[in-house]
Amino acid sequence: MPTLAVMNEENVTKGQSSGSSLHGPSTKEGADDLQTKSAVLHRSLKHDPLRVVSAEGHYLRLSNGQNIFDATGGAAVACLGHGNKRVRQAVMEQMDRVSYCHSLFYGTAAAEGLAKLLTASTDGEMVRAFFISSGSEAVEAALKLARQYHLEQKPSQPERKHFIARQQSYHGTTLGALAVGGHVARREMFEPILSINSSRVSPCFAYRGLRTVLEHESAYVRRLEAELEAEFQRVGPNTVAAFIAEPVVGAALGCVPAAKGYFQAVRRVCDKHGALLIFDEVMCGAGRIGPEPTERFSNPLHAWQDPLIGVAPDIMAMGKGLGAGYMPIAAMLANKKVIEALQHGTGAFSHGQTYQGHPLACQAALEVQRIIADDDLVANVRKQGVLLGSLLREKLSTHPAVGDIRGKGLFWAIEFVSNKATKEPFESTEAVAMGVHELGMQDPYNISIYPGTGTVDGRRGDHVILAPAYNINEIDVRHVVDVTDQVVKQFFRKYTDMSLKTRLVNGSW
């Protein structure tokens, strides 16, 4: 018998949508438009998505009349929710000034203001910012800057062309970012055209990385440090340009915080061999994990400022929460060491794009960051994040299909397993994470829960992510958890493959 996820797609194919399915033609508002096959190259060519006709606060109104609670902000993007009037007004005012100018010839107050705000937020660790349109582009720029840094050093080190990342990592979908990342499924089709100048070590993933329940976290960190050192030695320490990692892993593993001391160990290895450290904060940055204040960073914004991370990168990438989805924007920031190498060399970063430093995008992001600061939203992320995590564990930690609940701030994931004792994942063909997402999108749940796959080995392993807006309140947090709890329990209750039921242990159906 098919799983629920497959059954949903079959219903859509037969045209049985009544507004309770994620895909297919609508019978309500906007139905006439959707009866014709879309001209857009959507994520899927097998069905057209329902259309969003309006959005406000935490809710998306769909073309079939549903109001969906956006518990993920898309992909951890809409950190202020939808329809923020301050951002809209800021963009309109910028449009009255200038909507576009070419960054080769001109600068704007919007780009300058955003750059100064972001560099100031690092207490001088980062000294320059480069603005592009997506996280993938930010990572591409970071890789190119790392390479150029080594060429511009005195003496030049042209042999440094290798990048080390981590398995089950994702750093973007452009060819350079895809090549350095370790997302097996997304790499597979394009392997023949990807750069071979990269390799990967184990992620810092305590749930699956600890050898036994008795292994201490510090011993685990030492083991990972030794593995990284061995990889440097294998490829040749003087050939490594940089190590790249997400401080808190996002979609690839599902909101995995690093073990205490891990990034200090990584920094030791990089510094020992003259390699740069790149942090990909596209998903986990801009306040998303609610970094804890320290004596130095009383109002932290970046994930690396949290004591859990404890080290600053040489280059970092930002995205998603930077502009909250109001405009396409991402950023690459670099420290003084890197910038000075270029200043004393060619005097320029050998990279540029048409929409680099786009005035409307920069102004939107600048206003988003001002709102986050003015409303003290990172503090709210910390507060509501504690509640979100504790409620998820209270409701779901004993469920037979829930292996782990993890996260930080407003960035939490639930990993599903077919056997809690062995942590055995479901097979990828069973589409568990997508099935949970699709059920959540149906009446009476009406909630968006972000699905992720490949958690275990790049192919197998399912998790879902919750990443609501920073201005969420306690009532809405409880709503998100209550509905998520209902969706998860209903999904596995109605799961139609009886062979799977027999594999689930430590619980009853």
Side-chain angles (χ1 to χ4, degrees):
M1 297 178 70
T3 67
L4 179 61
V6 175
M7 290 174 67
N8 287 342
E9 190 165 324
E10 288 176 348
N11 291 340
V12 170
T13 303
K14 296 174 184 177
Q16 297 174 359
S17 173
S18 62
S20 63
S21 179
L22 176 58
H23 306 293
S26 169
T27 58
K28 298 183 181 180
E29 182 181 352
D32 291 341
D33 292 340
L34 287 178
Q35 294 303 319
T36 304
K37 195 71 175 176
S38 174
V40 175
L41 184 58
H42 289 295
R43 297 281 184 118
S44 172
L45 293 174
K46 295 183 179 179
H47 43 64
D48 295 343
L50 291 173
R51 294 182 186 174
V52 175
V53 296
S54 63
E56 184 175 1
H58 300 300
Y59 286 90
L60 299 168
R61 182 173 175 81
L62 303 186
S63 55
N64 67 352
Q66 278 184 282
N67 286 314
I68 300 294
F69 193 104
D70 189 4
T72 67
V77 175
C79 62
L80 297 184
H82 303 278
N84 187 281
K85 294 181 180 178
R86 275 185 58 176
V87 180
R88 180 174 61 186
Q89 184 62 33
V91 172
M92 291 173 61
E93 291 174 0
Q94 180 62 45
M95 190 171 287
D96 287 338
R97 291 189 290 269
V98 57
S99 295
Y100 170 76
C101 58
H102 189 34
S103 61
L104 179 62
F105 310 129
Y106 312 105
T108 64
E112 193 64 38
L114 181 58
K116 287 185 175 179
L117 182 150
L118 292 178
T119 54
S121 72
T122 70
D123 191 29
E125 290 287 350
M126 304 290 122
V127 297
R128 295 280 181 147
F130 179 88
F131 300 116
I132 51 282
S133 301
S134 70
S136 296
E137 294 169 66
V139 171
E140 290 280 325
L143 299 176
K144 292 178 77 172
L145 182 59
R147 169 64 178 166
Q148 187 176 346
Y149 162 77
H150 291 295
L151 293 175
E152 302 262 0
Q153 285 192 87
K154 301 283 190 284
S156 177
Q157 299 183 43
E159 68 278 7
R160 289 193 181 270
K161 58 185 180 181
H162 192 88
F163 292 88
I164 300 176
R166 302 188 294 186
Q167 296 158 4
Q168 284 92 273
S169 60
Y170 178 65
H171 297 294
T173 194
T174 50
L175 289 178
L178 191 63
V180 78
H183 197 292
V184 174
R186 295 188 183 187
R187 288 174 56 100
E188 183 177 36
M189 185 181 295
F190 306 102
E191 284 283 357
I193 60 173
L194 296 181
S195 167
I196 61 173
N197 292 317
S198 65
S199 58
R200 279 146 292 282
V201 293
S202 299
C204 185
F205 186 10
Y207 173 65
R208 292 192 173 275
L210 289 173
R211 287 174 173 165
T212 69
V213 293
L214 298 178
E215 184 178 25
H216 195 275
E217 194 174 69
S218 60
Y220 178 46
V221 168
R222 288 195 298 272
R223 181 155 53 86
L224 293 174
E225 182 177 7
E227 182 185 351
L228 181 59
E229 172 66 29
E231 183 62 14
F232 267 80
Q233 296 300 329
R234 187 188 72 82
V235 302
N238 64 333
T239 71
V240 180
F243 176 82
I244 181 171
E246 292 177 274
V248 177
V249 183
L253 289 181
C255 306
V256 176
K260 184 178 180 181
Y262 170 75
F263 278 107
Q264 287 92 332
V266 166
R267 172 52 94 181
R268 283 195 298 271
V269 177
C270 289
D271 289 349
K272 175 182 177 182
H273 299 298
L276 297 180
L277 177 59
I278 301 172
F279 278 165
D280 175 355
E281 293 205 6
V282 170
M283 199 170 199
C284 67
R288 171 58 63 186
I289 68 161
E292 299 289 340
T294 62
E295 184 176 341
R296 182 180 180 189
F297 301 112
S298 58
N299 294 295
L301 180 69
H302 310 288
W304 61 262
Q305 293 172 323
D306 189 275
L308 180 70
I309 311 302
V311 297
D314 297 298
I315 303 172
M316 63 179 289
M318 300 180 67
K320 300 187 187 298
L322 175 61
Y326 286 95
M327 281 283 173
I329 187 167
M332 177 200 68
L333 279 67
N335 69 6
K336 185 178 180 180
K337 176 177 72 174
V338 172
I339 296 301
E340 284 188 342
L342 272 62
Q343 286 177 327
H344 297 154
T346 60
F349 178 32
S350 185
H351 183 59
Q353 297 180 224
T354 299
Y355 293 115
Q356 173 185 330
H358 195 281
L360 296 182
C362 288
Q363 189 61 45
L366 179 57
E367 194 64 22
V368 167
Q369 296 307 309
R370 286 171 173 167
I371 292 169
I372 289 173
D374 291 348
D375 296 348
D376 201 15
L377 290 183
V378 177
N380 192 60
V381 170
R382 287 193 294 272
K383 176 183 176 182
Q384 303 302 339
V386 170
L387 178 64
L388 177 59
S390 64
L391 289 176
L392 285 172
R393 285 170 172 151
E394 176 186 316
K395 296 273 189 178
L396 286 167
S397 62
T398 60
H399 191 278
V402 173
D404 192 33
I405 298 172
R406 55 182 175 259
K408 190 169 181 7
L410 290 175
F411 199 41
W412 284 83
I414 306 166
E415 181 174 343
F416 301 112
V417 293
S418 64
N419 187 311
K420 286 177 80 84
T422 65
K423 304 179 184 178
E424 179 69 18
F426 291 93
E427 292 300 321
S428 57
T429 54
E430 291 156 6
V432 167
M434 183 57 72
V436 171
H437 164 75
E438 289 192 348
L439 180 60
M441 288 288 288
Q442 297 176 20
D443 289 322
Y445 310 111
N446 300 310
I447 191 171
S448 175
I449 304 171
Y450 194 86
T453 58
T455 324
V456 177
D457 57 14
R459 297 184 185 281
R460 298 183 309 151
D462 294 270
H463 62 264
V464 293
I465 291 175
L466 296 172
Y470 298 177
N471 50 13
I472 196 170
N473 60 31
E474 180 180 339
I475 293 173
D476 286 330
V477 168
R478 292 183 180 278
H479 170 74
V480 167
V481 175
D482 286 345
V483 177
T484 300
D485 174 54
Q486 294 169 29
V487 170
V488 170
K489 290 175 179 175
Q490 183 64 20
F491 176 79
F492 288 101
R493 186 178 299 123
K494 293 179 66 176
Y495 217 69
T496 55
D497 189 335
M498 295 302 296
S499 67
L500 292 178
K501 289 185 181 182
T502 63
R503 285 159 43 201
L504 288 164
V505 297
N506 299 338
S508 63
W509 293 90

